[in-house]
Each structure stands twice: as C-alpha cells, then as structure tokens.
Amino acid sequence: MTLSVILLMGALALGSARAVSTVAFISNRDGQTQLYLLDVDHGVVHNISRKIDDDSQLEVTTFSWSPTSEHIAYIGAARLNFDLYVLDADGAELRLLAQTRAADVRPSWSPDGAALAYHATTAGLNNDVFTIALDASTPRNLTRTFAGDNHRWPQWSPDGQQIAFYSDADDALDIFVLDTMPGAAPRNLTNGEVFARAPDWSPDGARVAFNTFGILYTVAPDNRHITELLRTEDGFRRTFWSPDGTQLALSWSGNLHIVSADGSHPPRQLTEQLTVAEEITWSPDGSRLVFSGFTASGSRDLYMINADGSGLRRLTTHPALDMAPAWRP
C-alpha cells in the first residue's frame, strides 16, 4: 500500500473532522472512467473502483453517496450492460443490486440509507421508476401501471415519504410526486404548465427545484405553487441546493452562479475565464463548492471555491478528464 493511500484511508477513518474534506469523482486517468476519492486539503487521490471479475473493469457513469457516507451507489458498465452497484466507501466490497439497462441513471438514496431509487429501461425501451432495499434481491417497480413511457430521475424526499420524478404520463414532461407506500398514485405537480425535468428536493422538503429551457423554477408539493427564480438565455441542466436550503448553485454561460432560493437577491457569478461544467457540489457546511471545469488548454479538472467567491483553487492537474465531483456527507 502506497503512502498516499495510507494517508487518505487514515483521513477517512478520522470521522467528521476529516470526512468534510473528501470528494468522490469520476475520471478516465487510468484508461476507463472509474471512481476516485480526493482529499481536497492535501491533494491525495485514490482509485476505489473494483473489477467484477478477472477480466472486466466497470466503467462508472453516475454515482451518489449514501447519507451515512459508508457506501457509494453507482451505475457501472461492463460488456455493454449497465447495472446498479453499491461499493463500500473504502472500496473494500462491491455488490451488484439491479440491472438498469440505462447509462444516465442517477441513483437516489433513501434518507436512512437503507434503499435506493432509480429508473431503468424495461420492455419496449420504456423507463420506469424502481426502488430496491440494500438487503433485498428484487426491485419494486413504482410506475408499472402508470401512464406514459418515460418516468425518470427519481429523487427521494428528505423525510423518506415521497419520491419525485419527471414523466411524460400526461402528454408533456411534468414533475410528479409519488408516496412510497404500496399502491399510491403519483400526483402531477406541474400539470403541463412548463416543460419540466431534473427534480431536486430542497433540504427541508418544502420545495422541488426543476428547470426547463434555461428557466429555474421551484414548486411546493403541498399546494403545487410554482415560482420562477431565474431565466437564462444559454440554458443549464442541473441545480444544486446549499445544505441550509437558502441558495442554489448552477452553471450557465460557462460560469458558476449562486441563486437565492427565495428570489430575494440577484444571482451572483463566482467564476470567470474558466468554463464550468454542469457538475457542482457543496461542502457539508455550505462554506465551499467543488466543481469540474475546463481550462483554455482543454483539460478538465476539479476546482474549489469559497461560497462568497473567494479562494478559487485548482485541485487536480491530471491531463485526463476529472468530472462529476460529490462531497462526502
């Protein structure tokens, strides 16, 4: 075991004081897209990906930390198959949970870390929303009897009682919320008012952020009230809530911006002269952000910046593509 690996594993073992400096990310620096851990304070990088057998290395497409930070769920591709795996945070054990047949799945953990929600491609190339418990062998299809062909991007609510997703069930792309109890019927939160996608719960569960053609909205699940927060010309794909729920981070026009969650302040631009990818993560205390950015030379590395826009620092300098950072909870 190398000294750098020993240092990183020691940092992970020290608990919350060190865990807040750990970021997972995807990179092709070893040839295939694999999963790495980075200690942002010391620059130590460690590949935690594992082979599924002697010949096959999984290509990681998306991933997410468990709320307890003990596990990482990710979509791994091998031999043209896309499956849902759970990996111990130290890389010690890898388990296959379910087949997804879709590369763009972003698994969502239940708040207690006992189950995962995800979408998978089913017969007829439709997409349905599933949940599976870590100790179960059979996934549960939540949208099998629901109208429409594509139900995607499920996100568990902070209280664990609901799952938000977007769907074409009502002949448009809408945000739906489904109670997790068996037999519950999905509720349409947007009712065709906007072209909605990529739902993202606020930390308190009172609002769901989503976007459509460069416009940022939130909707309240209890009364379906929709609020427009931001309108851009260039568009963006994802938003990222701050841990306290007062702000959202996003990338548009190639720069990192912070938007007030209640619309009370104009957006703040934190970066310039650096093309920010649509992959941003807040530190658990909300004081810093890590993101993937392109330089003028075309390299893609990880950067860190304070939430007030100060202290921009480049974290990785590898010529490969470093992307999709996610801070350890």
Side-chain angles (χ1 to χ4, degrees):
M1 183 178 292
T2 65
L3 177 59
S4 63
V5 172
I6 293 173
L7 289 173
L8 182 59
M9 293 299 101
L12 292 175
L14 287 178
S16 59
R18 299 297 312 129
V20 295
S21 70
T22 303
V23 169
F25 68 99
I26 296 172
S27 178
N28 65 347
R29 57 177 59 198
D30 289 324
Q32 295 175 302
T33 52
Q34 297 175 24
L35 195 59
Y36 296 79
L37 295 184
L38 165 68
D39 182 333
V40 299
D41 291 331
H42 299 88
V44 181
V45 175
H46 175 48
N47 186 338
I48 61 170
S49 298
R50 294 181 62 87
K51 292 184 177 181
I52 56 175
D53 54 41
D54 292 338
D55 300 318
S56 299
Q57 176 72 54
L58 290 170
E59 296 249 12
V60 179
T61 61
T62 63
F63 73 94
S64 60
W65 283 98
S66 69
T68 62
S69 76
E70 297 175 348
H71 306 288
I72 298 174
Y74 69 83
I75 303 302
R79 306 189 189 97
L80 301 180
N81 294 319
F82 295 95
D83 298 315
L84 174 62
Y85 293 85
V86 171
L87 177 70
D88 289 350
D90 60 2
E93 182 181 357
L94 176 69
R95 287 182 290 157
L96 170 64
L97 275 190
Q99 293 182 330
T100 66
R101 299 186 179 90
D104 61 342
V105 177
R106 189 170 298 276
S108 173
W109 288 89
S110 61
D112 61 3
L116 285 153
Y118 62 97
H119 77 258
T121 302
T122 56
L125 299 181
N126 296 336
N127 289 288
D128 279 311
V129 172
F130 293 80
T131 59
I132 187 169
L134 295 192
D135 58 0
S137 59
T138 303
R140 184 162 67 99
N141 189 332
L142 302 184
T143 56
R144 180 178 54 216
T145 61
F146 192 34
D149 297 327
N150 287 289
H151 319 300
R152 304 165 64 91
W153 202 281
Q155 297 292 306
W156 228 299
S157 64
D159 64 4
Q161 300 302 306
Q162 302 175 93
I163 292 175
F165 61 97
Y166 73 90
S167 171
D168 64 355
D170 290 341
D171 298 321
L173 279 186
D174 285 300
I175 303 297
F176 287 79
V177 168
L178 175 66
D179 291 341
T180 54
M181 66 182 67
R187 294 184 294 116
N188 191 334
L189 299 186
T190 51
N191 291 311
E193 294 183 36
V194 292
F195 186 90
R197 60 182 183 178
D200 187 18
W201 289 93
S202 63
D204 63 1
R207 290 162 293 174
V208 177
F210 64 94
N211 74 83
T212 173
F213 299 118
I215 307 173
L216 171 61
Y217 298 93
T218 61
V219 59
D222 56 351
N223 60 17
R224 306 183 188 184
H225 177 70
I226 297 176
T227 301
E228 180 182 319
L229 292 182
L230 176 70
R231 186 176 291 261
T232 71
E233 294 182 358
D234 297 337
F236 57 92
R237 292 189 61 190
R238 294 193 62 197
T239 55
F240 303 84
W241 287 93
S242 62
D244 64 4
T246 63
Q247 303 176 98
L248 296 105
L250 68 156
S251 170
W252 99 77
S253 296
N255 289 300
L256 173 61
H257 290 77
I258 301 295
V259 178
S260 172
D262 61 5
S264 59
H265 302 288
R268 292 187 294 118
Q269 180 178 323
L270 300 191
T271 62
E272 58 184 17
Q273 298 180 343
L274 178 69
T275 302
V276 178
E278 296 173 338
E279 302 157 344
I280 305 164
T281 181
W282 292 83
S283 63
D285 64 2
S287 66
R288 297 178 289 177
L289 300 100
V290 169
F291 59 91
S292 175
F294 294 91
T295 64
S297 63
S299 64
R300 185 171 181 175
D301 292 300
L302 301 186
Y303 295 80
M304 183 167 63
I305 193 169
N306 294 327
D308 63 4
S310 65
L312 177 64
R313 180 159 64 94
R314 189 173 180 176
L315 299 177
T316 62
T317 57
H318 200 281
L321 301 178
D322 295 340
M323 50 196 169
W327 221 297
R328 188 181 191 186

